[in-house]
Amino acid sequence: MAPFQYIERPTHFSTKGGKTLPIFAVTPAHVETGTLEPLALDWAKKAGFKAEAGALLLIPTEEGHLGGALFGLGANPSESPFLTGKLARTLPAGEWHIETAPLTANRLLLGYGLGAYSFDRYRSERPTEPKLLIPQDADAADIKRQLAGVYLARDLINTPANDMSPADIEAAVRRLAEHYKAEVTVTTGDELLEKNFPLIHAVGRASTVAPRLIEMRWGKKGHRKLTLVGKGVSFDTGGLDIKPSSSMLLMKKDMGGAANVLGLALMIMDAKLKIDLTVIIPSVENSIAGNAFRPGDVYKSRKGLTVQIDNTDAEGRLILADALAYADAENPDLLIDMATLTGAARVALGPDLPPFFTDDEDLADDLADASLEVDDPLWRLPLHKGYERMLKAQIADLTNAPAGGMAGAITAALFLKRFVSKERTWLHLDIFGWSQSERPHSPVGGEAQGIRALYRYLQTGWK
């Protein structure tokens, strides 16, 4: 396959004027009260169109040509803020514009763009897609920026592990850095031991593709320093504590944390936010071979804490531990890590509501507000100190897999917290990175979670 190329801009929009077909996005009240263009209203009544959420009705002209479309928003459009994503998958090919809609232009276009995404890298045929005209009152640049970040995260996650190894993740970072004139440095293979990243090396050494720590820097010194750390496990077999085949099917997505921080970094750089940005991705493949790390092994981390390996399938927190200790040493104003870390988070909150952890009350409040504002759901879970006792190991400072399986998302966050101490504020997001069912704004597959909320927070709430 050709090397991975990230999508610089979505192609589902049109900026040219000229002849475009109208879309009437309406609620049942518009049909019932007759507040519609006469031709559209007449056709709606003849066809029995009730404007249910997501319903589409094509409107013919008197000559039998396609004259436009009616799109139902349902009785409460605010309950499905990105319903217009369904238009991108149901409209016929052509140039379209929104004639009427009780929605802001930005929200309407963002929904359309999110729903228009498709992963076509491995398909021999690609369907012709409809294009939507961007109205003049929309912030086209910011909408496309957010969509490009989401598309990047989705594309990286959707790419199978044979084309998304640690080396391919590095290549994607370099491609992004090249576009935004950022600097990249990489520590690879046994060099990780020389530079004191022992946990990253231990987890990734059994793979035929060398483990690595990828670092990208952008921005000016003197601006607020933000460091993003993303878990980059390109594939997770579980190691010697091997996963069953059913659990391994989605493990190409175990680099979802890395994919999401890169999507967020794209938004930050494209918007030219006044931020001194560092992105750190520890990238490995958790494989099985004669030199694989074993249950019962003990390793000394970069920070100096020793870790007892009680389960080789709890590898993500190990590579993040070294990466966080490295990031923490520079004392950033804000340190954020994102990881597809625990099944416990999914049990607690399901696949669509990622938990976040922080001790900063102002950050927690502001991020929750941003999440609601942009409809990118997040929910805070506590860093409950009473559970720190679960991290005690028999012969080392910490265990990587507390016994009993209780409060797994919290104990994983507490484990990571032991490797940060100098930073002013730390935020951990335990994301799923996958959409299990098709929704108007997303197909089944890799998903960006939390990055639109974080982008909004960095734009407006970061003090």
Side-chain angles (χ1 to χ4, degrees):
M1 293 296 300
F4 175 83
Q5 297 291 324
Y6 82 97
I7 299 174
E8 296 180 17
R9 285 289 183 267
T11 58
H12 311 289
F13 297 105
S14 171
T15 54
K16 67 181 182 181
K19 189 174 182 181
T20 56
L21 294 169
I23 303 168
F24 301 92
V26 296
T27 66
H30 288 98
V31 179
E32 292 166 6
T33 59
T35 53
L36 265 177
E37 192 270 343
L39 178 63
L41 179 62
D42 179 62
W43 188 249
K45 289 183 175 179
K46 287 179 178 177
F49 182 74
K50 303 297 183 183
E52 297 97 339
L56 179 71
L57 178 66
L58 299 179
I59 305 171
T61 64
E62 292 181 357
E63 295 79 19
H65 302 298
L66 182 59
L70 282 159
F71 182 67
L73 297 174
N76 298 300
S78 61
E79 293 180 358
S80 301
F82 299 126
L83 185 65
T84 49
K86 197 167 183 179
L87 277 171
R89 300 198 293 274
T90 55
L91 281 174
E95 301 275 341
W96 298 82
H97 72 272
I98 299 291
E99 184 74 23
T100 59
L103 299 168
T104 65
N106 285 357
R107 182 55 57 89
L108 185 152
L109 290 171
L110 186 60
Y112 183 88
L114 290 171
Y117 172 85
S118 61
F119 184 65
D120 297 324
R121 179 177 177 181
Y122 298 94
R123 297 188 184 279
S124 55
E125 295 184 8
R126 299 182 182 183
T128 305
E129 300 168 333
K131 292 183 181 291
L132 189 65
L133 183 69
I134 298 177
Q136 293 183 351
D137 59 340
D139 188 347
D142 197 60
I143 291 165
K144 290 184 177 181
R145 177 181 304 129
Q146 291 184 61
L147 290 174
V150 170
Y151 283 18
L152 173 59
R154 289 175 175 178
D155 268 7
L156 288 167
I157 296 169
N158 282 328
T159 303
N162 60 310
D163 285 325
M164 194 50 62
S165 69
D168 294 306
I169 294 173
E170 176 188 333
V173 175
R174 290 189 182 278
R175 175 72 179 89
L176 184 66
E178 179 186 8
H179 186 80
Y180 290 105
K181 297 179 171 58
E183 297 179 357
V184 176
T185 56
V186 181
T187 305
T188 307
D190 289 343
E191 189 183 5
L192 291 165
L193 294 176
E194 298 168 12
K195 295 188 176 180
N196 193 24
F197 296 101
L199 294 180
I200 299 173
H201 183 272
V203 174
R205 70 191 184 199
S207 174
T208 56
V209 181
R212 62 203 65 209
L213 183 81
I214 307 163
E215 186 174 358
M216 181 176 72
R217 293 180 181 266
W218 174 90
K220 293 182 179 180
K221 301 295 182 184
H223 289 160
R224 292 174 296 175
K225 183 165 182 55
L226 169 67
T227 300
L228 305 177
V229 178
K231 174 186 169 185
V233 178
S234 65
F235 192 82
D236 182 17
T237 65
L240 292 177
D241 288 310
I242 190 169
K243 295 176 182 287
S245 59
S246 59
S247 298
M248 227 183 285
L249 286 173
L250 284 183
M251 283 302 99
K252 68 176 185 179
K253 78 172 186 66
D254 213 17
M255 40 66 69
N260 272 268
V261 298
L262 289 173
L264 176 57
L266 184 154
M267 297 179 195
I268 291 168
M269 295 187 293
D270 196 79
K272 298 181 175 62
L273 298 185
K274 293 182 178 180
I275 288 173
D276 179 6
L277 174 67
T278 300
V279 177
I280 297 171
I281 296 173
S283 187
V284 302
E285 182 177 359
N286 189 16
S287 299
I288 299 171
N291 63 338
F293 75 123
R294 297 160 294 227
D297 285 354
V298 174
Y299 295 94
K300 189 175 183 179
S301 68
R302 180 181 183 86
K303 190 176 179 66
L305 293 169
T306 55
V307 182
Q308 177 176 309
I309 308 303
D310 285 322
N311 193 319
T312 61
D313 197 20
E315 84 297 333
R317 67 199 69 185
L318 297 174
I319 66 171
L320 287 172
D322 274 356
L324 286 171
Y326 176 64
D328 181 63
E330 292 194 351
N331 193 20
D333 297 297
L334 176 57
L335 173 57
I336 300 173
D337 78 79
M338 302 187 75
T340 52
L341 202 61
T342 70
R346 315 289 80 81
V347 172
L349 298 177
D352 303 334
L353 183 57
F356 71 90
F357 300 81
T358 184
D359 282 330
D360 188 315
E361 298 299 326
D362 290 336
L363 169 60
D365 290 344
D366 291 343
L367 182 57
D369 289 343
S371 167
L372 291 172
E373 184 178 348
V374 300
D375 290 289
D376 191 10
L378 295 169
W379 194 266
R380 188 185 186 188
L381 289 183
L383 288 161
H384 179 53
K385 293 182 179 179
Y387 291 157
E388 288 184 348
R389 68 183 185 277
M390 298 182 185
L391 298 177
K392 292 181 180 179
Q394 183 180 6
I395 61 172
D397 295 324
L398 298 168
T399 173
N400 78 321
M406 304 290 281
I410 297 175
T411 56
L414 289 170
F415 179 93
L416 297 180
K417 190 174 186 293
R418 296 292 294 271
F419 295 88
V420 294
S421 55
K422 295 181 180 180
E423 97 305 332
R424 299 178 188 178
T425 299
W426 169 63
L427 174 70
H428 162 59
L429 291 91
D430 189 338
I431 65 172
F432 189 48
W434 193 262
S435 182
Q436 289 188 305
S437 58
E438 182 175 295
R439 292 171 289 172
H441 63 284
S442 65
V444 174
E447 186 58 293
Q449 292 185 308
I451 60 174
R452 289 190 298 103
L454 287 167
Y455 174 62
R456 183 62 175 168
Y457 167 75
L458 294 171
Q459 280 183 309
T460 62
W462 189 19
K463 303 177 179 67

